[in-house]
Short mmCIF file of all heavy atoms in Angstrom, two decimals:
data_model
loop_
_atom_site.label_atom_id
_atom_site.label_comp_id
_atom_site.label_asym_id
_atom_site.label_seq_id
_atom_site.Cartn_x
_atom_site.Cartn_y
_atom_site.Cartn_z
N SER V 212 14.33 28.85 7.31
CA SER V 212 15.35 29.10 8.32
C SER V 212 14.78 29.95 9.44
O SER V 212 14.05 30.94 9.22
CB SER V 212 16.55 29.81 7.68
OG SER V 212 17.46 30.17 8.68
N ASP V 213 15.10 29.59 10.72
CA ASP V 213 14.55 30.34 11.85
C ASP V 213 15.09 31.76 11.95
O ASP V 213 14.61 32.56 12.71
CB ASP V 213 14.80 29.58 13.15
CG ASP V 213 16.28 29.26 13.40
OD1 ASP V 213 17.12 29.78 12.60
OD2 ASP V 213 16.58 28.53 14.34
N ALA V 214 16.12 32.11 11.11
CA ALA V 214 16.58 33.49 11.09
C ALA V 214 15.54 34.41 10.51
O ALA V 214 15.56 35.60 10.74
CB ALA V 214 17.86 33.55 10.27
N TYR V 215 14.58 33.85 9.75
CA TYR V 215 13.51 34.63 9.15
C TYR V 215 12.24 34.59 9.97
O TYR V 215 11.16 35.08 9.52
CB TYR V 215 13.24 34.14 7.75
CG TYR V 215 14.35 34.37 6.75
CD1 TYR V 215 15.43 33.54 6.69
CD2 TYR V 215 14.32 35.49 5.89
CE1 TYR V 215 16.49 33.77 5.78
CE2 TYR V 215 15.35 35.72 4.99
CZ TYR V 215 16.44 34.87 4.94
OH TYR V 215 17.45 35.11 4.09
N ALA V 216 12.29 33.97 11.14
CA ALA V 216 11.06 33.84 11.96
C ALA V 216 10.59 35.21 12.42
O ALA V 216 11.38 36.10 12.80
CB ALA V 216 11.35 32.97 13.18
N SER V 217 9.27 35.43 12.39
CA SER V 217 8.70 36.73 12.76
C SER V 217 8.21 36.62 14.20
O SER V 217 8.36 35.59 14.87
CB SER V 217 7.56 37.09 11.83
OG SER V 217 6.56 36.08 11.85
N SER V 218 7.54 37.66 14.65
CA SER V 218 7.06 37.69 16.04
C SER V 218 5.65 37.18 16.21
O SER V 218 5.04 37.36 17.25
CB SER V 218 7.15 39.15 16.55
OG SER V 218 6.38 40.00 15.75
N TYR V 219 5.07 36.61 15.15
CA TYR V 219 3.69 36.12 15.22
C TYR V 219 3.62 34.90 16.14
O TYR V 219 4.54 34.05 16.15
CB TYR V 219 3.13 35.77 13.85
CG TYR V 219 2.98 36.96 12.95
CD1 TYR V 219 3.77 37.10 11.82
CD2 TYR V 219 2.03 37.94 13.22
CE1 TYR V 219 3.65 38.20 10.98
CE2 TYR V 219 1.88 39.03 12.40
CZ TYR V 219 2.72 39.18 11.28
OH TYR V 219 2.56 40.25 10.46
N ASP V 220 2.56 34.75 16.88
CA ASP V 220 2.37 33.59 17.74
C ASP V 220 1.97 32.34 16.96
O ASP V 220 2.25 31.22 17.37
CB ASP V 220 1.30 33.85 18.83
CG ASP V 220 1.73 34.94 19.80
OD1 ASP V 220 2.96 35.00 20.09
OD2 ASP V 220 0.91 35.72 20.25
N LEU V 221 1.25 32.50 15.88
CA LEU V 221 0.76 31.37 15.11
C LEU V 221 1.00 31.61 13.61
O LEU V 221 0.54 32.65 13.08
CB LEU V 221 -0.73 31.16 15.40
CG LEU V 221 -1.36 29.92 14.75
CD1 LEU V 221 -0.72 28.66 15.30
CD2 LEU V 221 -2.85 29.94 14.99
N GLU V 222 1.73 30.72 12.96
CA GLU V 222 2.00 30.88 11.52
C GLU V 222 1.89 29.51 10.86
O GLU V 222 2.03 28.48 11.50
CB GLU V 222 3.43 31.41 11.33
CG GLU V 222 3.59 32.88 11.71
CD GLU V 222 4.96 33.39 11.29
OE1 GLU V 222 5.13 33.65 10.07
OE2 GLU V 222 5.83 33.51 12.15
N SER V 223 1.64 29.53 9.58
CA SER V 223 1.54 28.28 8.82
C SER V 223 2.91 27.77 8.40
O SER V 223 3.06 26.61 8.02
CB SER V 223 0.70 28.48 7.56
OG SER V 223 1.28 29.52 6.73
N GLU V 224 3.98 28.61 8.49
CA GLU V 224 5.34 28.24 8.07
C GLU V 224 6.00 27.44 9.18
O GLU V 224 5.81 27.69 10.37
CB GLU V 224 6.13 29.50 7.75
CG GLU V 224 7.48 29.23 7.14
CD GLU V 224 7.38 28.50 5.81
OE1 GLU V 224 7.15 29.14 4.82
OE2 GLU V 224 7.55 27.28 5.85
N THR V 225 6.83 26.48 8.77
CA THR V 225 7.64 25.70 9.71
C THR V 225 9.07 26.21 9.69
O THR V 225 9.72 26.23 8.61
CB THR V 225 7.65 24.19 9.30
OG1 THR V 225 6.28 23.73 9.28
CG2 THR V 225 8.46 23.35 10.29
N TYR V 226 9.56 26.64 10.83
CA TYR V 226 10.90 27.20 10.92
C TYR V 226 11.81 26.14 11.51
O TYR V 226 11.51 25.47 12.50
CB TYR V 226 10.93 28.45 11.80
CG TYR V 226 10.19 29.60 11.15
CD1 TYR V 226 8.88 29.94 11.47
CD2 TYR V 226 10.83 30.40 10.18
CE1 TYR V 226 8.24 30.99 10.86
CE2 TYR V 226 10.15 31.45 9.56
CZ TYR V 226 8.88 31.75 9.90
OH TYR V 226 8.21 32.75 9.29
N VAL V 227 13.02 26.04 10.91
CA VAL V 227 14.01 25.04 11.33
C VAL V 227 15.32 25.74 11.57
O VAL V 227 15.63 26.77 10.94
CB VAL V 227 14.14 23.91 10.29
CG1 VAL V 227 12.88 23.08 10.19
CG2 VAL V 227 14.57 24.47 8.92
N PRO V 228 16.18 25.19 12.43
CA PRO V 228 17.50 25.83 12.68
C PRO V 228 18.46 25.62 11.50
O PRO V 228 18.26 24.71 10.67
CB PRO V 228 17.99 25.12 13.96
CG PRO V 228 17.30 23.80 13.97
CD PRO V 228 15.98 24.05 13.33
N LEU V 229 19.48 26.43 11.45
CA LEU V 229 20.50 26.30 10.44
C LEU V 229 21.25 24.99 10.61
O LEU V 229 21.65 24.63 11.74
CB LEU V 229 21.49 27.46 10.56
CG LEU V 229 22.48 27.70 9.39
CD1 LEU V 229 21.72 28.10 8.13
CD2 LEU V 229 23.51 28.76 9.79
N PRO V 230 21.39 24.17 9.54
CA PRO V 230 22.02 22.85 9.68
C PRO V 230 23.45 23.00 10.15
O PRO V 230 24.16 23.95 9.86
CB PRO V 230 21.96 22.30 8.23
CG PRO V 230 20.86 23.03 7.58
CD PRO V 230 20.86 24.40 8.17
N LYS V 231 23.88 21.96 10.91
CA LYS V 231 25.25 21.94 11.42
C LYS V 231 26.13 21.17 10.46
O LYS V 231 25.67 20.52 9.53
CB LYS V 231 25.27 21.27 12.80
CG LYS V 231 24.46 22.00 13.85
CD LYS V 231 24.45 21.26 15.19
CE LYS V 231 23.59 21.99 16.22
NZ LYS V 231 23.55 21.26 17.50
N GLY V 232 27.45 21.23 10.67
CA GLY V 232 28.40 20.49 9.85
C GLY V 232 28.62 21.13 8.50
O GLY V 232 28.27 22.31 8.26
N ASP V 233 29.24 20.37 7.60
CA ASP V 233 29.55 20.86 6.24
C ASP V 233 28.32 20.83 5.37
O ASP V 233 27.34 20.15 5.67
CB ASP V 233 30.64 20.05 5.60
CG ASP V 233 31.98 20.16 6.37
OD1 ASP V 233 32.29 21.30 6.77
OD2 ASP V 233 32.65 19.14 6.53
N VAL V 234 28.38 21.55 4.26
CA VAL V 234 27.28 21.56 3.26
C VAL V 234 27.16 20.15 2.64
O VAL V 234 26.08 19.61 2.54
CB VAL V 234 27.50 22.62 2.19
CG1 VAL V 234 26.46 22.47 1.07
CG2 VAL V 234 27.42 24.01 2.81
N HIS V 235 28.32 19.57 2.27
CA HIS V 235 28.34 18.22 1.68
C HIS V 235 28.57 17.22 2.79
O HIS V 235 29.59 17.28 3.49
CB HIS V 235 29.45 18.14 0.63
CG HIS V 235 29.45 16.83 -0.10
ND1 HIS V 235 30.59 16.26 -0.61
CD2 HIS V 235 28.41 15.98 -0.43
CE1 HIS V 235 30.29 15.14 -1.20
NE2 HIS V 235 28.99 14.92 -1.09
N LYS V 236 27.61 16.32 3.00
CA LYS V 236 27.69 15.39 4.13
C LYS V 236 26.96 14.10 3.84
O LYS V 236 26.23 14.03 2.84
CB LYS V 236 27.09 16.03 5.37
CG LYS V 236 25.59 16.28 5.27
CD LYS V 236 25.04 17.04 6.45
CE LYS V 236 25.41 18.49 6.41
NZ LYS V 236 24.73 19.28 7.46
N SER V 237 27.14 13.12 4.69
CA SER V 237 26.36 11.89 4.60
C SER V 237 25.18 12.01 5.59
O SER V 237 25.35 12.37 6.75
CB SER V 237 27.24 10.69 5.00
OG SER V 237 28.28 10.49 4.06
N LYS V 238 23.99 11.70 5.13
CA LYS V 238 22.81 11.88 5.93
C LYS V 238 21.93 10.59 5.88
O LYS V 238 21.75 10.02 4.86
CB LYS V 238 21.94 13.06 5.41
CG LYS V 238 20.72 13.42 6.21
CD LYS V 238 20.00 14.57 5.53
CE LYS V 238 18.73 14.96 6.27
NZ LYS V 238 19.03 15.68 7.52
N GLU V 239 21.42 10.20 7.07
CA GLU V 239 20.56 9.02 7.12
C GLU V 239 19.12 9.46 6.78
O GLU V 239 18.53 10.29 7.46
CB GLU V 239 20.60 8.34 8.48
CG GLU V 239 19.82 7.02 8.52
CD GLU V 239 19.91 6.34 9.86
OE1 GLU V 239 19.18 6.78 10.77
OE2 GLU V 239 20.66 5.38 10.03
N VAL V 240 18.56 8.88 5.73
CA VAL V 240 17.22 9.20 5.25
C VAL V 240 16.35 8.01 5.48
O VAL V 240 16.70 6.86 5.12
CB VAL V 240 17.25 9.58 3.76
CG1 VAL V 240 15.86 9.94 3.28
CG2 VAL V 240 18.19 10.77 3.51
N ILE V 241 15.18 8.25 6.09
CA ILE V 241 14.22 7.18 6.37
C ILE V 241 13.03 7.33 5.44
O ILE V 241 12.42 8.39 5.35
CB ILE V 241 13.74 7.20 7.84
CG1 ILE V 241 14.93 6.96 8.76
CG2 ILE V 241 12.66 6.13 8.08
CD1 ILE V 241 14.61 7.02 10.24
N GLN V 242 12.70 6.27 4.71
CA GLN V 242 11.56 6.26 3.79
C GLN V 242 10.52 5.24 4.25
O GLN V 242 10.89 4.13 4.60
CB GLN V 242 12.00 5.94 2.36
CG GLN V 242 12.83 7.03 1.69
CD GLN V 242 13.23 6.64 0.29
OE1 GLN V 242 13.77 5.55 0.05
NE2 GLN V 242 13.00 7.51 -0.66
N ASP V 243 9.26 5.66 4.27
CA ASP V 243 8.17 4.76 4.66
C ASP V 243 7.43 4.31 3.42
O ASP V 243 6.84 5.15 2.70
CB ASP V 243 7.22 5.47 5.64
CG ASP V 243 7.82 5.62 7.01
OD1 ASP V 243 8.34 4.59 7.53
OD2 ASP V 243 7.76 6.73 7.57
N LEU V 244 7.45 3.01 3.16
CA LEU V 244 6.71 2.44 2.03
C LEU V 244 5.84 1.31 2.53
O LEU V 244 5.82 1.00 3.73
CB LEU V 244 7.72 1.87 0.99
CG LEU V 244 8.73 2.80 0.40
CD1 LEU V 244 9.77 2.01 -0.39
CD2 LEU V 244 8.04 3.83 -0.52
N THR V 245 5.08 0.72 1.65
CA THR V 245 4.33 -0.50 1.97
C THR V 245 4.66 -1.56 0.97
O THR V 245 5.13 -1.26 -0.13
CB THR V 245 2.79 -0.26 2.02
OG1 THR V 245 2.34 0.04 0.67
CG2 THR V 245 2.45 0.91 2.91
N LEU V 246 4.36 -2.82 1.28
CA LEU V 246 4.58 -3.88 0.30
C LEU V 246 3.67 -3.68 -0.89
O LEU V 246 4.04 -4.03 -2.01
CB LEU V 246 4.27 -5.23 0.95
CG LEU V 246 5.25 -5.70 2.04
CD1 LEU V 246 4.95 -7.17 2.44
CD2 LEU V 246 6.71 -5.57 1.60
#
Side-chain angles (χ1 to χ4, degrees):
S212 174
D213 55 8
Y215 291 82
S217 60
S218 58
Y219 295 112
D220 294 326
L221 186 63
E222 290 189 76
S223 59
E224 188 62 81
T225 301
Y226 292 98
V227 295
L229 192 65
K231 299 177 182 179
D233 296 319
V234 172
H235 185 210
K236 65 185 76 172
S237 296
K238 184 182 179 74
E239 188 178 77
V240 180
I241 298 178
Q242 292 180 309
D243 286 312
L244 302 169
T245 67
L246 293 188

